[in-house]
Amino acid sequence: MLPATMAEMWASVGSTIASIMFVWTIVQRYCPYELRRFFDKYTYIINGYFNPYIHISFPEASEEWFKRSEAYTTVEAYLSAKASKNARRLKAVLGKDSSKLLLSMDVHQRVEDEFRGVKIWWASNKIVKQAGPSFQQEKLSYMLTFHKKYREQITESYLEHVMKEGKQIGVRNRQRKLYTNCPTEQWPIYKRSLWSSIVFEHPASFETMGMDPEKKQEIVEDLLTFSNGKNFYAKIGKPWKRGYLLYGPPGTGKSTMIAAMANLLDYDVYDLELTAAKDNTELRKLLIETTTKSIIVIEDIDCSLDLTGQRKKKTKKSSEDNDENERPKKDVEEEKKSNKVTLSGLLNFVDGLWSACGGERLIVFTTNYVEKLDPALIRKGRMDKHIELSYCSFEAFKALAKNYLDLEKHPRFDTIQWLMEETKITPADVAENLMPKSSLDDADKCLSNLIRALEQAKEEAQKKKAEEAKLKEEEAAKKKDEEVKVKEEEVAKKKLDEDEVKVKEEEAAKKKDE
C-alpha cells in the first residue's frame, strides 16, 4: 500500500506543479503588463517586511556603456582570494606579466566572507536578455547579502575595506600594458577604447642602465617620492602628476629610461603619437581614457608637430592671407586633412584643467634638440624635472661592464678611462661593443672591441676637428679677401668721387672765366 500511496502523492504533486505552470503561462501571456507590475511591486514590499536580509548589487555596466564599472572590478579583485578557497567553479585569467593564472569566482557561484564577527555572502549573477532577433545581452553583477541589523557596520566600514583591499589586490595582480593611440579614422562608435595595447615586458631597470650612480640615485629618489606623495599633493593643492623632460643625443638611453621608470613604479605606459590625434578635442579624449599609475610618453616631441612656430604663424601679414585664394586646390585640401593639434592644446593637455583628471601620472617628453622647443612647453610646473642624458662617462661604463661582462676591475679599464676623457661615445655604442657576439668572445675581446671603437671615434673626432679648423681658416681667408675687396672698392669709389668733384670744379672755373 505504501508504494501506491507514494506514487499517488508524487502524481498529485506533479499535477499541481503542471497546473501552476499552466496558470503562470496564461498570466504572463494575457495579464496586462501594468497589472503584473503592480503585483510585483507589492510582492517585493510584503517580502521586505519578512525578509531580514539586505542585498546590495554591483553591476558590471557603468554609465559609459563601453566601460566596466570600477566598483565591479574592485569587488572582483577582492573576491579572487576568497573564491579560490571556497567556490566550486572558478574562471582563470593571466595575471601580472603573464607569469601566473589568477582565479576568480565564476557566474552563479556563492562565497562567504566574515568581517568583525559578521557573516557576509557574495554571489555572482548573470542575466541574459534578448536584445534583438539575433543578439543577446548579458548583464553580470555581484550581489552582497547581509543581515539588516548590521547595516551600519557593513555600509560604513566593510564596503570601505572591500574597496581599499580590492584596489591594492588589483594593482598587485594586474598585467601592465604598453598602449598606443589609434588613428582618428579608426574610432568607430562601437570601439571599446581609443588605445590599443600589448603586455609591457621591457626588462630595463635602473640597476642595468649605464649612468652616473649619483644621478641615477637622484632620479630614483625623485620617482619614489612622487609615487608616495598623494597626501602631499592634496595638501599643496596640485594635481598628482609630474613632468619629466629627457634630452640628449641619440643613443643615450632616453627610451630605456622610460622603461626603467615604469618597472620601478609598476606603471602602465601610454605612448602618445601626436600626429594620430586630429585636434585638441581628440587629444583631451585620449587623456581622459588613460588610467592612474601610468606614464604618458611623447617621444621626439620636436619632430612630432611644428610646435615652435605656431605663435609666429598668427602674426603674418594680412597680405599673405589674401594669397590663399591663389594657392592650388590640392594644397588647401591637404591642409584641411593635416593635424590641428596646437601648442595651446598641448599646454592644456600637460598642465591645464583636463590634466587633473585621475591622478598618479607621469608625463614624459623626449627630444634630441631641447633648444628647438617652446620655452612655455618645458618650463618648471609643466616639465618639473629636466634630465640630460649625455655621452657615456667612465662610471657609466663600469656599470655596463658589470652588467654585460660581470667585471668590476680589469687592466684595460685604465686605457678605456683615458680614451673616454679624450672622446665622446654614447652608452648604446658602449653596450654594443661589450656584448659578446659569439660563445668564443670573452671579456678581453669585448674590451678590445670597445677600445678600438674609442680609438676610431677619437680619430674621427680629430679628423672632424681638423676639417672644421680648415673650414674656419678658409672662411676667415675668404672673409679677409672680401674685406680687402670691399676696401679696394671703397678706395676706388672715393677716388672716383674726388675726380668727379675736381672735374666739376674745373668746369665751374671755366664757366666763370667765360
Side-chain angles (χ1 to χ4, degrees), residues 2-243:
L2 184 60
T5 304
M6 290 293 294
E8 291 175 0
M9 184 183 69
W10 282 112
S12 176
V13 170
S15 177
T16 304
I17 293 174
S19 300
I20 293 173
M21 294 299 296
F22 176 75
V23 172
W24 178 248
T25 304
I26 295 298
V27 171
Q28 287 288 99
R29 176 170 296 185
Y30 297 106
C31 184
Y33 172 76
E34 292 77 9
L35 184 59
R36 284 189 284 116
R37 186 176 178 184
F38 175 81
F39 281 118
D40 289 343
K41 176 181 176 182
Y42 284 96
T43 300
Y44 283 119
I45 294 175
I46 294 171
N47 185 48
Y49 285 111
F50 298 98
N51 187 2
Y53 293 97
I54 294 175
H55 307 279
I56 300 177
S57 177
F58 295 84
E60 182 188 30
S62 65
E63 294 180 357
E64 300 181 50
W65 66 271
F66 54 86
K67 282 188 175 181
R68 301 178 81 196
S69 167
E70 185 177 354
Y72 179 89
T73 56
T74 305
V75 169
E76 185 177 43
Y78 174 79
L79 292 177
S80 59
K82 310 287 181 184
S84 61
K85 297 178 181 179
N86 301 326
R88 292 179 177 271
R89 192 166 62 247
L90 304 169
K91 60 181 179 180
V93 294
L94 284 176
K96 185 176 181 180
D97 299 329
S98 304
S99 58
K100 64 178 182 179
L101 289 173
L102 295 178
L103 302 178
S104 59
M105 187 165 55
D106 203 357
V107 295
H108 305 308
Q109 292 295 293
R110 184 184 177 96
V111 296
E112 183 179 305
D113 194 14
E114 186 173 339
F115 180 74
R116 297 176 185 175
V118 179
K119 287 188 177 181
I120 304 108
W121 295 270
W122 287 95
S124 175
N125 301 322
K126 179 172 75 171
I127 300 175
V128 180
K129 289 186 176 181
Q130 196 73 27
S134 59
F135 178 71
Q136 289 183 336
Q137 185 178 9
E138 293 184 353
K139 292 186 177 181
L140 300 176
S141 66
Y142 286 108
M143 184 67 72
L144 169 64
T145 304
F146 58 93
H147 199 282
K148 63 182 179 181
K149 66 180 179 180
Y150 302 115
R151 176 194 286 268
E152 186 175 347
Q153 184 175 349
I154 298 300
T155 55
E156 293 183 2
S157 301
Y158 178 68
L159 290 181
E160 182 180 351
H161 163 74
V162 170
M163 292 295 108
K164 182 179 179 181
E165 188 72 18
K167 287 179 180 179
Q168 292 176 354
I169 294 173
V171 169
R172 290 197 302 266
N173 294 338
R174 86 187 197 285
Q175 272 191 329
R176 289 190 299 125
K177 298 291 185 67
L178 172 62
Y179 295 86
T180 185
N181 53 308
C182 303
T184 303
E185 58 271 13
Q186 296 181 14
W187 285 14
I189 298 175
Y190 58 84
K191 192 171 182 65
R192 300 183 71 87
S193 177
L194 308 181
W195 299 86
S196 57
S197 65
I198 59 171
V199 176
F200 183 75
E201 296 178 329
H202 200 294
S205 66
F206 280 96
E207 287 77 10
T208 60
M209 283 191 65
M211 181 185 289
D212 182 81
E214 292 183 2
K215 189 173 184 179
K216 188 188 300 184
Q217 185 62 29
E218 177 190 345
I219 297 170
V220 169
E221 290 178 358
D222 187 84
L223 289 166
L224 294 177
T225 301
F226 166 78
S227 65
N228 297 319
K230 181 178 181 179
N231 295 332
F232 175 76
Y233 278 84
K235 175 185 173 182
I236 63 177
K238 288 186 64 176
W240 192 12
K241 65 178 184 61
R242 188 161 176 79

Side-chain angles (χ1 to χ4, degrees), residues 450-469:
L450 178 58
I451 290 173
R452 281 197 297 271
L454 286 167
E455 290 173 345
Q456 184 178 355
K458 183 180 178 181
E459 291 176 1
E460 291 176 356
Q462 290 175 344
K463 184 178 179 181
K464 185 177 180 181
K465 188 176 180 181
E467 291 176 353
E468 290 177 351

Side-chain angles (χ1 to χ4, degrees), residues 331-363:
D331 294 344
V332 175
E333 291 178 354
E334 288 180 356
E335 183 173 343
K336 288 180 180 179
K337 294 179 181 179
S338 65
N339 186 287
K340 294 182 180 179
V341 174
T342 63
L343 176 60
S344 174
L346 187 58
L347 294 180
N348 288 327
F349 174 87
V350 175
D351 195 35
L353 292 174
W354 289 94
S355 68
C357 66
E360 198 172 356
R361 286 192 184 95
L362 296 178
I363 300 176

